[in-house]
């Protein structure tokens, strides 16, 4: 019944004729593993992203564990969140870690000058963040303060977190409630050093980076992989300079790119109620991610042919005008089917570049930008982006498989066009081959024939998974209608020796191919 309903919806939109796209998965030529951290999250001290959205404090009437909302943590666990980046973002370069330890009632109150000029009482600090990571079963990515901090401050923070010794800082950690050292998986030296982190040039930052990493010391089993702050959008100079000048203690170079419908920071476009022209421009702009990654990879391949250094897209996602009536500094926006399609397109791009892209962090987890979850006091709603992340869970640590598309039609607007169909495939840890398909066209469905090639020349006979779609471009979930956009079961059987998947307009489909 579900499949027939979806098919009827597609036919109603585009008529009885389908364009047919051929997708071939080559199982004989496995590629690099898609690192699970490609599905990483980002939690900055920004708006209600942490306070209210996730953290309510241990004395709250809202059910919580160690101050973290049980409903939100439970929903995030369903995504198998592999990694969380904290405390920023721009906030990181004004954050002093000692403000966030010790009795919460005695912590200093500051002003969050980056995001809304609201007070920051430092209730969530190092210990609380590690509690969250442990509740989620996630790795941690901590962003150090190079902007207003110092080498000494970062060095001491690492010692506080990771030292098993009897040093003063390790003993202070024990006094504050944590005996054993924490494992800090990743540690970044600053954030957006070209902008809010200090308005530096890459050559100056490269020297500061080398100076800082000289003094980041930890026992081998607790020492983090260190990340350098890189470039953004079409700027490849940061990746070039850093991979040329830094030869040690650099696991990755960060990269930031946000999808903005208008391409203008002043007026970005609305999250809902937008015209089709802004649906198209959003698809077009988010697909620029592929070129940006390719350009960065080109300079990195020249300087680091052994691919020792990863390209970490640790900020990405959609950025719209804030919802009317909200604090402009809180970056609260609604999340629609368009955002889910954007997320899936980016997943497919990241899979394509799994040789370098070993971590990404969508901005952000809750109530900020392209969030997984929206909250309002005791209420919580899952966004379409949340559902896209959950559908793609099988791709975490899966082995990528080459995919070729033939007869891929175009979704066009005037003289400009983008591919209608995006595809990605991988062999998951359960041994199954998974295929993800995205239809960028909000009006036209299509048929996709699926072929599975390889040493044995296998042919596909069955597809089982889920589809995410809706009749409206800006369909979204609200607290009163939390299930307006959610995945539905989908399956297809081969007929006449051919497996065909009906791909509705504006949709994401993920499933196992047998």
């Amino acid at each position: 019944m579900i499949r027939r309903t979806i098919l009827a919806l597609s036919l109603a939109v585009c008529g009885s004729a389908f364009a047919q796209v051929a997708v071939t998965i080559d199982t004989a030529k496995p590629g690099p593993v898609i690192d699970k951290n490609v599905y990483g999250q980002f939690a900055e001290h920004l708006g209600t992203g942490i306070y209210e959205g996730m953290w309510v404090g241990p004395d709250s009437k809202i059910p919580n564990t160690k101050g973290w909302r049980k409903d939100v943590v439970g929903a995030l666990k369903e995504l198998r969140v592999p990694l969380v980046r904290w405390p920023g973002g721009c906030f990181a370069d004004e954050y002093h870690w000692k403000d966030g330890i010790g009795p919460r009632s005695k912590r200093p109150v500051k002003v969050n000058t980056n995001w809304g000029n609201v007070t920051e009482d430092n209730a969530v600090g190092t210990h609380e963040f590690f509690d969250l990571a442990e509740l989620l079963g996630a790795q941690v990515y901590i962003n150090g303060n190079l902007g207003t901090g110092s080498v000494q401050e970062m060095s001491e923070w690492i010692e506080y977190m990771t030292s098993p010794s009897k040093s003063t800082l390790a003993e202070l950690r024990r006094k504050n409630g944590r005996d054993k050292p924490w494992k800090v998986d990743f540690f970044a030296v600053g954030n957006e050093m070209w902008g809010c982190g200090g308005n530096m040039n890459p050559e100056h930052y490269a020297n500061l980076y080398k100076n800082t990493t000289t003094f980041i010391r930890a026992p081998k089993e607790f020492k983090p992989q260190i990340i350098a702050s890189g470039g953004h959008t079409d700027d490849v100079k940061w990746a070039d300079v850093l991979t040329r000048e830094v030869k040690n203690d650099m696991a990755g170079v960060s990269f930031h790119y946000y999808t903005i419908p208008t391409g203008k920071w002043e007026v970005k476009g609305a999250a809902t109620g937008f015209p089709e022209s802004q649906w198209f421009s959003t698809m077009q702009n988010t697909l620029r991610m592929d070129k940006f990654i390719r350009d960065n990879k080109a300079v990195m391949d020249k300087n680091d042919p052994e691919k020792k250094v990863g390209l970490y897209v640790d900020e990405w996602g959609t950025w719209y005008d804030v919802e009317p009536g909200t604090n402009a500094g809180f970056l609260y926006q609604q999340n629609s089917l368009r955002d889910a399609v954007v997320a899936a397109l980016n997943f497919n791009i990241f899979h394509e570049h799994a040789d370098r892209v070993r971590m990404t962090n969508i901005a952000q987890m809750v109530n900020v930008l392209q969030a997984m979850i929206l909250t309002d006091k005791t209420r919580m709603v899952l966004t379409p982006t949340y559902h896209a992340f959950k559908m793609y869970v099988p791709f975490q640590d899966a082995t990528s498989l080459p995919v070729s598309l033939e007869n891929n039609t175009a979704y066009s607007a005037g003289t400009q066009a983008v591919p209608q169909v995006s595809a990605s495939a991988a062999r998951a840890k359960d041994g199954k081959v998974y295929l993800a398909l995205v239809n960028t066209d909000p009006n036209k469905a299509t048929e996709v024939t699926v072929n599975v090639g390889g040493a044995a020349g296998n042919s596909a006979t069955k597809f089982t998974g889920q589809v995410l779609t809706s009749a409206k471009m800006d369909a979204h979930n609200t607290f009163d209608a939390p299930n307006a956009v959610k995945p539905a079961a989908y399956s297809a059987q081969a007929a006449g020796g051919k497996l065909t998947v009906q791909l509705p307009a504006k949709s994401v489909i993920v499933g196992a191919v047998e």
Side-chain angles (χ1 to χ4, degrees), residues 37-87:
N37 287 336
V38 163
Y39 291 89
Q41 300 281 336
F42 178 27
E44 183 169 5
H45 288 240
L46 197 171
T48 57
I50 290 179
Y51 301 113
E52 297 183 34
M54 289 191 284
W55 172 266
V56 292
D59 298 326
S60 173
K61 293 181 180 179
I62 297 175
N64 67 86
T65 303
K66 296 184 177 181
W68 297 101
R69 290 180 62 141
K70 286 186 176 181
D71 55 354
V72 171
V73 169
L76 291 170
K77 286 183 72 173
E78 290 292 315
L79 297 184
R80 300 184 191 176
V81 173
L83 173 88
V84 182
R85 179 185 181 218
W86 173 85

Side-chain angles (χ1 to χ4, degrees), residues 104-380:
R104 280 188 287 273
S105 61
K106 296 182 179 180
R107 296 179 188 178
V109 176
K110 300 293 182 73
V111 176
N112 190 333
T113 60
N114 283 293
W115 306 119
N117 287 309
V118 294
T119 55
E120 161 68 57
D121 65 5
N122 286 295
V124 172
T126 302
H127 290 254
E128 290 80 10
F129 172 65
F130 274 98
D131 284 343
L132 173 64
E134 289 174 356
L135 289 170
L136 294 174
Q139 291 186 313
V140 301
Y141 169 5
I142 289 179
N143 218 118
N145 179 356
L146 186 62
T148 62
S150 66
V151 175
Q152 179 179 350
E153 185 174 10
M154 282 185 275
S155 174
E156 290 182 347
W157 197 7
I158 292 293
E159 181 182 345
Y160 180 87
M161 292 184 287
T162 67
S163 177
S165 73
K166 296 293 184 180
S167 73
T168 299
L169 286 170
E171 289 296 284
L172 179 60
R173 182 191 69 236
R174 295 185 179 98
K175 179 182 177 182
N176 289 331
R178 175 72 182 196
D179 180 21
K180 295 181 180 179
W182 288 295
K183 176 71 169 68
V184 179
D185 301 284
F186 298 91
F187 187 88
V189 178
N191 164 76
E192 291 190 357
M193 306 314 299
W194 42 265
C196 65
N199 291 302
M200 302 177 188
N201 61 43
E203 291 81 5
H204 178 65
Y205 172 71
N207 285 327
L208 291 178
Y209 179 88
K210 288 185 286 187
N211 180 44
T212 302
T213 57
T214 300
F215 300 98
I216 293 180
R217 297 165 178 159
K220 185 177 181 180
E221 64 270 31
F222 298 112
K223 186 173 182 180
Q225 297 185 60
I226 307 177
I227 301 170
S229 176
H232 65 102
T233 319
D234 59 358
D235 184 357
V236 301
K237 189 175 181 182
W238 288 78
D240 185 17
V241 169
L242 287 164
T243 51
R244 181 162 27 91
E245 297 296 326
V246 180
K247 299 304 180 183
N248 299 299
D249 290 326
M250 188 170 70
V253 175
S254 74
F255 175 78
H256 293 177
Y257 175 62
Y258 287 95
T259 298
I260 300 172
T262 64
K264 299 177 181 179
W265 285 98
E266 297 80 10
V267 180
K268 304 175 185 68
T272 58
F274 49 83
E276 186 182 336
S277 61
Q278 288 193 9
W279 171 283
F280 177 83
S281 64
T282 301
M283 300 300 113
Q284 187 178 48
N285 287 339
T286 208
L287 287 170
R288 296 176 69 196
M289 179 72 82
D290 181 66
K291 183 179 186 302
F292 296 150
I293 291 175
R294 290 182 186 277
D295 290 347
N296 277 277
K297 284 175 62 177
V299 299
M300 295 175 77
D301 287 348
K302 177 184 65 177
N303 299 331
D304 174 35
E306 297 179 350
K307 298 183 185 292
K308 294 180 180 179
V309 180
L311 181 66
Y312 294 170
V313 187
D314 61 9
E315 288 188 32
W316 68 274
T318 53
W319 195 322
Y320 309 128
D321 297 329
V322 300
E323 293 299 307
T326 65
N327 187 321
F330 282 11
L331 306 186
Y332 179 84
Q333 63 189 39
Q334 187 49 264
N335 191 296
S336 75
L337 177 65
R338 177 175 64 168
D339 296 279
V341 172
V342 164
L345 288 171
N346 280 278
F347 296 154
N348 291 354
I349 291 170
F350 299 150
H351 296 173
E352 176 73 15
H353 301 291
D355 59 332
R356 283 281 186 191
V357 179
R358 301 165 197 161
M359 177 204 293
T360 84
N361 306 83
I362 192 168
Q364 295 186 11
M365 291 175 81
V366 180
N367 289 339
V368 175
L369 297 175
Q370 192 176 348
M372 308 297 104
I373 294 170
L374 302 178
T375 66
D376 177 26
K377 299 180 175 63
T378 61
R379 299 188 294 177
M380 178 190 81

